[in-house]
Amino acid sequence: MIEMKNVSKWYGATQVLNDCSLNIDKGEVVVVCGPSGSGKSTLIKTINALEPVQKGEIWVDGVAVHDRATNLPKLRSRVGMVFQHFELFPHLTVTDNLTIAQMKVLGRGQDEAKQRGLKMLERVGLTAHKDKFPGQLSGGQQQRVAIARALSMDPIVMLFDEPTSALDPEMVGEVLDVMVGLAAEGMTMMVVTHEMGFARKVSNRVIFMDVGGHILEDTSKDEFFGNIEARQPRTREFLNKILPH
Amino acid sequence: MPALDFSFYTWANISTYLLSGLYFSVSLTIAATIGGIALGTVIALMRLSGIKPLEYAALWYVNLLRSIPLVMVILWFFLLMPSAFYNLFPGDIGQKYRAEICALITFIIFEAAFFSEIVRAGIQSLPRGQTFAGQALGMTYAQNMRYIVLPQAMRNMLPVFLTQTIVLFQDTSLVYAIGAYDILKGFEIMGNTFGRRVETYIMAAVVYFIISFALSMLVKRLNEKIRILR
């Protein structure tokens, strides 16, 4: 579903992705972790070309993302993305947030868009808030709406860029629950997160990135958490810091 | 100094000398604000387009017009625009309202330079993530601007727009240079007619003050409201 071959990216003279390659199959849930500054967020944003790359190839469902001739809006409309800071549109109601791209991008009629959007809103348990503005919702609720917004577009894959990092601790659970449900349904997901509980519970594979944009590990969840002694020193150091003692 | 006498401000005189002038000043302000924001938005989008020729054209437009006194722009346009231009308007409108048409066009051109900077600041002050979110949903650049970026930028900039409109309203008095009949002109003619120029200029100041001050109060309240919304 997603294939990345030898991708490198620079901001000026600073290299932020260094020869990254990875593969995500349909239905897989892959967690990307690593210290800040390791390029995780940049990496996930290259998949829908929010961040362009200077070298390498990225393929999503057979579409060449790195190719300048590719119709990026069309590709992006099929790739759902959830951001650290939710990025709901504050000037639109929850319902309008859910329907605007369906109508303007996918060309759905208002009724169809609304029906689909509200179905997704129900799924994240927020039907009662459909007429509110994002500013009237808690962080956890906003992020659930953001997930519903992405799902309304019927994506073939979902990208999560630190979806719980900006949340108060007591709101992390409600967002993760939605994500666990999605994974259980077979959604292909790539998740940048420090939530190792989530990684352990639902991921198939774990990718570990280190400063400078290197992919240091790309291994099955069981191997990653079950055989810590076999991990790279940098990975062990990182895991020792963030796993509960 | 002779004693002030305001007794000539009868309703009949006000409606004869002042109302049409006030109507023109207010209409010019509103039309130039709307036209200036529309043209200014286009210039701001050119400036941020990332396309070099458009960027430089917009940059020079703004720099040039911000460096020239408005009254000179008005005069130049009035003196240099060939008479044939005014024949483009239907009937004798063009020749009859030459000064008014000239005033409206120059104000839109001039104010667009200022409004474009406000729109640009409004767009640039939006968090980058909003653009990302629109893009990630598959919106094109134009759709993202139209539905996500501009509505928010405009809303955030509303108080600044209004502040600029207050300046614009006061600047409309500059149309005296080309003889358009605005509120100031009305007061001037009234003053000359009744030999009461001091009283008319005092009242003119009062009218400008009341309208501008009322708008400032509105800006203040808007600012408070927007602060709550954020």
Side-chain angles (χ1 to χ4, degrees), chain B residues 164-175:
Chain B
Q164 180 66 26
T165 300
I166 296 170
V167 177
L168 171 54
F169 173 66
Q170 291 164 7
D171 282 352
T172 57
S173 59
L174 292 175
V175 299

Side-chain angles (χ1 to χ4, degrees), chain A residues 41-146:
Chain A
S41 283
T42 309
L43 182 83
I44 200 169
K45 285 197 184 88
T46 63
I47 290 166
N48 59 357
L50 290 183
E51 295 279 6
V53 298
Q54 281 94 21
K55 243 179 90 181
E57 294 182 6
I58 300 165
W59 296 84
V60 175
D61 197 33
V63 177
V65 180
H66 55 279
D67 187 344
R68 292 189 67 128
T70 297
N71 182 343
L72 289 178
K74 189 165 177 221
L75 168 86
R76 287 172 183 146
S77 71
R78 303 169 64 211
V79 176
M81 185 162 219
V82 174
F83 298 89
Q84 181 176 2
H85 296 288
F86 333 133
E87 305 300 352
L88 292 179
F89 305 130
H91 59 303
L92 301 176
T93 62
V94 166
T95 304
D96 289 340
N97 263 280
L98 295 167
T99 57
I100 188 160
Q102 289 188 71
M103 284 159 38
K104 304 300 176 192
V105 176
L106 300 181
R108 288 179 183 164
Q110 188 172 11
D111 292 341
E112 189 193 356
K114 207 167 164 181
Q115 199 184 358
R116 177 73 187 152
L118 291 180
K119 202 174 149 203
M120 290 302 109
L121 194 61
E122 189 186 346
R123 191 200 157 118
V124 299
L126 292 172
T127 305
H129 302 279
K130 67 183 167 65
D131 296 322
K132 289 189 179 168
F133 283 91
Q136 298 169 287
L137 303 179
S138 72
Q141 290 170 331
Q142 288 191 48
Q143 194 62 300
R144 281 147 69 197
V145 172

